[in-house]
Amino acid sequence: MQYQNIVILTGAGISAESGIRTFRAADGLWENHRIEDVATPEAFARNPELVHQFYNQRREQLLMPDIRPNPAHLALAKLEQYFKGEVLLVTQNIDNLHERAGSRNLIHMHGELLNLRCTTSGQVFTHHKPVGPDARCGCCGQMGTLRPDIVWFGEMPMQMELIYDALESCDLFISIGTSGHVYPAAGFVEIANSVGAETVEINLEPSKKQSAFDRHIYGPASREVPLFVE
Ligand code: BV8
């Protein structure tokens, strides 16, 4: 079958071989905190220092020279470049490896680690250095108004309208490197199924949504994604 509109969803597993720990590999923990307890607006209100530290550590790691896109990221960028129809890449990841691999038609539905947002004006700044609650905002000059531009648990993911529109007109949905725990991303496969798209799961192991997919490819993304894209 000749596909016209492909939607790809990626999760932490596509960046694992680039050296970025997945949530499951960390058993959902960071410094003995449950990630669901740190990645929330309540945690940020209660202890902004701790939450900033959580992201400062991950930002610092992402900017290390040995962290770079792997063959899975590169294969998706090549697919977008050479595919005749539409390819939309929706990532749950907050790292910048897809754009560094060359992907352009890309939505970070859970935000981006290298961005901060002013809670007063909503303005977004690219920011590579560690940040704390006493950092002054570039737009209002106040302290304490900057937060990571990241979607926490209980917050609305970004560009959902665009994502739902793409899912409702896709004929191929590929899910790569995600355990299928977190919604609404984990529900995308059902939307694709409802419009008759072919659905493929590429993962190290069966995800929580395994039974919803037409096809399953299990193995490391850096091997399986280039093979699938070719
Ligand atoms: C929302 C940014 C309303 C932060 C993240 C009860 C039931 C259902 C839902 C809920 C519920 N209670 C609450 C909810 C909603 C909640 C949710 O889903 N909770 C879960 C815990 C049950 N969701 C929300 O709050 C979302 N907002 O619902 O708002 C709404 C809904 C619709 C429309 C409008 C409004 C917001 C959730 C966003 C949270 N932010 N990230 C940060 O990063 O710090 S979530 C974060 O965790 C990631 O972004 C990602 O989404 C998730 C981790 O999942 P994965 O990426 O899959 O990573 P994981 O480690 O789990 O799995 C990796 C996989 O890769 C594994 O399967 C592994 O086998 C595989 N793998 C490993 N190595 C490789 C590999 N595969 C291939 N190759 C390899 N080498």
Side-chain angles (χ1 to χ4, degrees):
M1 171 187 177
Q2 196 47 38
Y3 302 111
Q4 294 302 319
N5 294 304
I6 304 176
V7 174
I8 302 166
L9 172 70
T10 61
I14 199 168
S15 296
E17 289 159 273
S18 295
I20 297 181
R21 276 159 72 82
T22 67
F23 293 81
R24 282 164 57 86
D27 286 336
L29 288 177
W30 167 77
E31 313 270 336
N32 298 326
H33 294 279
R34 279 164 35 85
I35 290 174
E36 288 92 75
D37 299 338
V38 177
T40 65
E42 296 74 22
F44 187 65
R46 194 175 51 241
N47 188 343
E49 187 78 50
L50 175 84
V51 177
H52 273 306
Q53 196 192 351
F54 177 50
Y55 291 101
N56 286 338
Q57 268 193 13
R58 292 163 71 188
R59 196 176 298 115
E60 195 182 349
Q61 188 214 9
L62 178 57
L63 294 170
M64 304 288 269
D66 57 342
I67 303 286
R68 62 181 73 87
N70 67 56
H73 298 104
L74 296 166
L76 295 185
K78 215 168 107 188
L79 173 68
E80 178 188 331
Q81 210 176 342
Y82 295 108
F83 181 67
K84 297 258 173 311
E86 280 294 305
V87 179
L88 174 65
L89 175 51
V90 180
T91 187
Q92 299 172 87
N93 300 339
I94 60 176
D95 65 51
N96 62 351
L97 298 179
H98 281 306
E99 37 278 68
R100 285 170 58 189
S103 288
R104 291 289 167 269
N105 200 14
L106 168 66
I107 292 179
H108 278 276
M109 66 179 288
H110 291 160
E112 297 180 62
L113 186 54
L114 300 182
N115 284 348
L116 293 179
R117 185 170 80 235
C118 171
T119 49
T120 316
S121 67
Q123 200 171 334
V124 174
F125 305 89
T126 302
H127 193 90
H128 287 194
K129 293 198 182 49
V131 64
D134 52 356
R136 281 201 183 281
C137 170
C139 68
C140 56
Q142 291 170 52
M143 285 193 334
T145 56
L146 281 172
R147 63 163 276 179
D149 189 29
I150 286 184
V151 176
W152 286 325
F153 288 95
E155 295 187 319
M156 163 93 98
M158 297 183 180
Q159 303 191 60
M160 288 306 293
E161 279 313 303
L162 245 175
I163 296 171
Y164 287 138
D165 287 351
L167 286 167
E168 280 150 17
S169 51
C170 79
D171 45 27
L172 177 60
F173 175 71
I174 311 167
S175 174
I176 303 172
T178 180
S179 61
H181 276 89
V182 175
Y183 285 80
F188 291 174
V189 60
E190 271 97 13
I191 301 172
N193 283 330
S194 72
V195 295
E198 183 176 355
T199 53
V200 185
E201 168 169 271
I202 303 177
N203 209 50
L204 200 57
E205 64 199 353
S207 75
K208 213 169 162 202
K209 303 297 290 188
Q210 183 234 5
S211 57
F213 288 88
D214 300 320
R215 284 176 57 196
H216 308 88
I217 299 171
Y218 295 129
S222 67
R223 185 184 72 205
E224 298 305 339
V225 177
L227 284 176
F228 182 80
V229 164
E230 261 145 31

